[in-house]
Amino acid sequence: MHVSSGEHSPAQRIQPGPSYQVSYAERIKLEVGITTIAVGLITEAEQAEGIVATGQADAIGIARAVLYNPRWPWHADARLGAQVSTPPQFWRSEPHHIKNLFQH
Ligand SMILES: Cc1cc2nc3c(=O)[nH]c(=O)nc-3n(C[C@H](O)[C@H](O)[C@H](O)COP(=O)(O)O)c2cc1C
């Protein structure tokens, strides 16, 4: 279950901020035991990794940050020291300050 919060009723008092809906996914996972995807202003690599690593959710989803920067997953991989699998044509695009981002 991908857990957003609707926000269609003025009676809801939602305060958008970093990870603001993650606790909903966490609670559903805990109480119902189903696989959850957390969303809600997850914008940083470490923030995303932390949510999954600590078991708050099984996966995370990102919308707004990816609308702004479609290469967000590559930047997150570079920051976390992970690798990206691409066709060889991309390999020479690796910036000098990043090493071994592309899996050869
Ligand atoms: C243009 C747009 C419209 C959205 N509309 C709704 C909505 O009506 N109800 C809702 O619960 N979530 C809505 N969302 C949130 C998405 O379901 C998704 O959970 C969320 O965008 C992911 O979080 P993030 O954008 O903070 O990364 C919308 C997102 C976008 C970008």
Side-chain angles (χ1 to χ4, degrees), residues 74 77 82-88 90-91 101-104:
W74 285 18
D77 283 333
Q83 287 195 302
V84 181
S85 177
T86 67
F90 286 89
W91 296 350
L101 175 62
F102 298 116
Q103 198 171 34
H104 292 203

Side-chain angles (χ1 to χ4, degrees), residues 13-99:
R13 293 279 178 266
I14 311 282
Q15 289 293 326
S19 297
Y20 71 106
Q21 295 173 140
V22 173
S23 63
Y24 308 148
E26 185 174 14
R27 186 162 170 197
I28 289 170
K29 181 174 163 62
L30 217 83
E31 296 192 13
V32 186
I34 59 174
T35 302
T36 58
I37 301 173
V39 296
L41 293 179
I42 299 168
T43 57
E44 308 305 317
E46 293 82 355
Q47 177 192 10
E49 178 71 5
I51 292 163
V52 176
T54 59
Q56 287 181 286
D58 298 288
I60 56 106
I62 293 175
R64 285 167 279 192
V66 167
L67 288 176
Y68 179 69
N69 174 11
R71 287 276 194 246
W72 189 96
W74 285 18
H75 291 281
D77 283 333
R79 200 165 162 80
L80 298 173
Q83 287 195 302
V84 181
S85 177
T86 67
Q89 288 85 349
F90 286 89
W91 296 350
R92 283 197 282 172
S93 73
E94 190 173 73
H96 290 303
H97 66 283
I98 295 172
K99 295 283 168 258

